[in-house]
Amino acid sequence: MSPTIKDVAKKAGVSIATVSLAIHNNQRITTITRNKVLRAIKELNYHPSRSAKGLVTKTTGNIGFVLTDDHFLKTEPFYTMIFLGTEFVTRGNDYYVLLATINKDFKEGDELPRFILERSVDGVIVAGKVPDAFIQKLSKFDMPLVFVDYFPPVDDHCVVMVDNTRGGYQAAKHLVDLGHKEIAFIGADITHPSISDRLTGYKQALETSGIEIKQSNIIIDEDYPARQNGYNAAKRLFEKNKNVTAVFACNDAMAIGAMQYCADNGIKIPGDVSLIGFDDVEADLLLNPPLTTVRVPKVELGTEAMNVMVNLLSSKSANCAKKIVVPVELIVRGSTRKI
Amino acid sequence: MSPTIKDVAKKAGVSIATVSLAIHNNQRITTITRNKVLRAIKELNYHPSRSAKGLVTKTTGNIGFVLTDDHFLKTEPFYTMIFLGTEFVTRGNDYYVLLATINKDFKEGDELPRFILERSVDGVIVAGKVPDAFIQKLSKFDMPLVFVDYFPPVDDHCVVMVDNTRGGYQAAKHLVDLGHKEIAFIGADITHPSISDRLTGYKQALETSGIEIKQSNIIIDEDYPARQNGYNAAKRLFEKNKNVTAVFACNDAMAIGAMQYCADNGIKIPGDVSLIGFDDVEADLLLNPPLTTVRVPKVELGTEAMNVMVNLLSSKSANCAKKIVVPVELIVRGSTRKI
DNA sequence: TGGCTTCAGTTAAACGTTTAACCTAAATAT
DNA sequence: ATATTTAGGTTAAACGTTTAACTGAAGCCA
């Protein structure tokens, strides 16, 4: 068995309270006693038990990270990167991250992740879009909450967001600057605020550039923005609309699908059509041509979210309802060109 | 505050011991009392506190997952997939996974991950190659240990391995079957057992096919098997060795680098040279041509490792020193062809 | 009838910490 | 000289469980 505080107390010839106080640098303990204690700790290689500490302080040193199972399973490691971002921060602070998924159709009667019920976490980071019913139920626990890459309907929470509107603007503006006039938008799941914000940015860019916004140039799939849907959206677009010279896909997955459609149908990129995506996933660089895109700093989203959480927990301040918007960056590669 | 076992006891009109026993389906409690207790639990929405339970049972419900920081940071999400595999299993069993990294130059004096010292985990899964000093230090704690994708020097541990030798054999055999005779191997970090096993398989395949093994066809970089090193290895290979018609790269990252070198130097794949990798990473499908490779079931490695761990913890049996070898699979795509 | 089992629970100790309340001796104030 | 404060600890309760040991009633057997 590993040594307990009792062993340290005996070895140092003091009470266990003194050991505890010494560990926490309490003023009441003289330097000389503290050193005695510290020496005993070193000799025994003592480390306090987290369980015992947790029981009395009602803290666990863990943060929950929740996302829906379909986000968890998708091939693009978008949320994985955010998760890793949170891990980076915990390295510095004294926390660990517990991961849990919920059903994307979470209903009122469903159980919350076990770590919430058993109080194994001090706070919860929610990543990506989650059902309303889940947020409702989660909010009943008075537990610090941080949302990342999703803007919950009720608005008194801490949120870390991507500047999707500005990114959409930058993407479309880039195409405008290259001389394009017939610029299409392909997207999916427009109820997702991130996606609709990108569309908003697209519209703003065309508007401020004096280019008419045509509904026929906007293709929205109802489903999830995945490669297959990008393929289908491109098909729907090009079958009815021959004069499009540039396409802004709502994310890289759809852009990759669209690129595949073009390859299958003799549409040259960027020769015939310029294509720009959103997210900047690993795959972009391997495409032929490499995909121009708007970079979302995925790891940074995670670090920011965890930073907010750690602040929330340490300051014990009221729910600050803080909002952080992390900037995006246009990455020009080979899939766009001057017309 | 959430309800405690005391609240349940009061509501059900029994002692707290009865509540505990009822929860654990102890025979001593009649169905009628158990139901009373269960009803109270439901009404109060009671869930036992993990900290309190942990304190007395000396369990935490957590499993540690350790890898070196360079593995954690590399772009190919190889170990991330293994990690996710462990997560999948914990969904079914009652565990969570805590992630920690160690320095790849871990020395004897370095501290172990905090979750081990503070006893926040019931067992540790070690992924990938880790320093000997780390294993030494870790072994001193009598904590269940499972190694995945690495074979520790001292051999009394549970291990989940990839069948690298067989995979290397299959890869080289595939090239032989396509009629190739001058088959090169490019690799790096040959001290890693996985890599050297793949080389062994390569040699076996040539041998059993009656093809001479030439040292000049084997290029080993000392560094890490990454894209850049694949590029360099291909350069070294083709500059001195014009008649090679097929290359087996020790992993996909190096294969991708080699492919880049070939593209830069007018070597057509698979026209002039057939190329095969190892791992089957996401990027392979996006390459032009898509890469023939040997699939390593990454997620399955994680699930297997976690299954072994869960068995170890539940059976409380002696360290079974179990070995599991998960099979690989040849995936033929566009980068190899008949000569 | 009386002694022995079995049944169905209860009591209380234990797990390893933190921390409020208490204590004693020395220092300071009146 | 006595009363009060301060310094530097110690004592003991509390956190929420589990579980070994105990108890009292009922059933059984001779």
Side-chain angles (χ1 to χ4, degrees), chain A residues 70-323:
Chain A
D70 59 336
H71 281 155
F72 183 60
L73 291 172
K74 72 176 185 153
T75 53
E76 301 300 350
F78 188 92
Y79 290 103
T80 307
M81 285 295 135
I82 297 183
F83 174 76
L84 292 184
T86 65
E87 283 282 352
F88 282 126
V89 176
T90 57
R91 230 137 294 245
N93 300 280
D94 284 344
Y95 288 103
Y96 284 109
V97 182
L98 304 190
L99 182 66
T101 60
I102 55 168
N103 195 284
K104 82 174 204 298
D105 305 314
F106 188 96
K107 299 179 312 299
E108 201 189 323
D110 292 353
E111 285 253 300
L112 289 172
R114 190 169 47 83
F115 59 47
I116 296 172
L117 301 173
E118 294 181 347
R119 279 136 290 148
S120 306
V121 294
D122 300 338
V124 174
I125 294 176
V126 180
K129 190 181 178 187
V130 292
D132 241 47
F134 172 71
I135 301 180
Q136 294 276 326
K137 201 156 190 175
L138 183 56
S139 301
K140 295 221 179 82
F141 289 69
D142 62 341
M143 191 172 272
L145 246 45
V146 176
F147 289 83
V148 55
D149 195 41
Y150 181 62
F151 211 100
V154 281
D155 186 35
D156 51 348
H157 293 115
C158 290
V159 171
V160 176
M161 278 301 294
V162 172
D163 199 343
N164 286 298
T165 310
R166 178 144 184 75
Y169 180 90
Q170 284 178 19
K173 189 64 168 38
H174 169 62
L175 297 171
V176 169
D177 289 348
L178 291 174
H180 295 274
K181 303 260 185 263
E182 290 292 327
I183 302 171
F185 176 91
I186 63 177
D189 188 13
I190 200 68
T191 65
H192 195 301
S194 295
I195 308 289
S196 66
D197 282 357
R198 291 171 194 185
L199 177 57
T200 303
Y202 158 87
K203 288 179 177 169
Q204 285 177 1
L206 297 205
E207 218 158 59
T208 63
S209 309
I211 297 178
E212 186 195 351
I213 296 167
K214 300 179 187 164
Q215 281 310 316
S216 59
N217 277 347
I218 299 179
I219 308 282
I220 310 279
D221 198 311
E222 289 179 359
D223 205 8
Y224 196 82
R227 289 186 192 176
Q228 186 57 49
N229 298 321
Y231 192 98
N232 296 342
K235 186 177 159 79
R236 276 168 60 197
L237 175 67
F238 287 114
E239 279 180 357
K240 72 170 181 183
N241 211 332
K242 302 291 182 196
N243 53 353
V244 163
T245 67
V247 175
F248 169 28
C250 78
N251 70 356
D252 286 348
M254 285 194 79
I256 290 171
M259 191 179 276
Q260 188 60 51
Y261 174 83
C262 291
D264 289 356
N265 291 273
I267 302 174
K268 297 242 179 304
I269 292 177
D272 303 326
V273 169
S274 283
L275 177 66
I276 186 169
F278 208 116
D279 282 354
D280 191 33
V281 300
E282 164 78 4
D284 294 354
L285 277 170
L286 298 164
L287 295 169
N288 194 6
L291 186 68
T292 295
T293 191
V294 178
R295 172 173 297 162
V296 173
K298 295 162 278 292
V299 170
E300 195 184 332
L301 282 173
T303 58
E304 287 292 342
M306 185 54 89
N307 279 331
V308 170
M309 175 59 76
V310 169
N311 278 338
L312 232 49
L313 290 174
S314 62
S315 71
K316 230 27 227 159
S317 71
N319 296 31
C320 58
K322 200 174 182 177
K323 271 174 208 8

Side-chain angles (χ1 to χ4, degrees), chain B residues 7-22:
Chain B
D7 303 319
V8 176
K10 187 177 294 178
K11 179 144 213 160
V14 297
S15 73
I16 64 166
T18 302
V19 175
S20 181
L21 294 172

Side-chain angles (χ1 to χ4, degrees), chain B residues 236-297:
Chain B
R236 277 167 59 196
L237 175 68
F238 287 114
E239 278 180 358
K240 72 170 180 179
N241 211 333
K242 301 291 182 197
N243 52 353
V244 163
T245 67
V247 175
F248 168 29
C250 78
N251 70 357
D252 287 348
M254 286 194 79
I256 290 171
M259 192 179 274
Q260 188 60 52
Y261 173 82
C262 291
D264 289 355
N265 292 272
I267 302 174
K268 296 242 181 304
I269 292 178
D272 304 327
V273 168
S274 283
L275 177 65
I276 186 170
F278 209 117
D279 283 354
D280 190 33
V281 301
E282 164 78 4
D284 293 354
L285 276 170
L286 299 165
L287 295 170
N288 194 6
L291 186 67
T292 295
T293 192
V294 178
R295 171 174 298 161
V296 173

Side-chain angles (χ1 to χ4, degrees), chain B residues 14-15 17-18 28-30 33 55-56 58:
Chain B
V14 297
S15 73
T18 302
R28 249 191 331 230
I29 310 298
T30 55
T33 352
L55 185 54
V56 36
K58 294 180 176 318

Side-chain angles (χ1 to χ4, degrees), chain B residues 23 73 86 99 119 165 316 334:
Chain B
I23 289 174
L73 291 172
T86 66
L99 182 66
R119 280 136 291 149
T165 311
K316 232 20 223 160

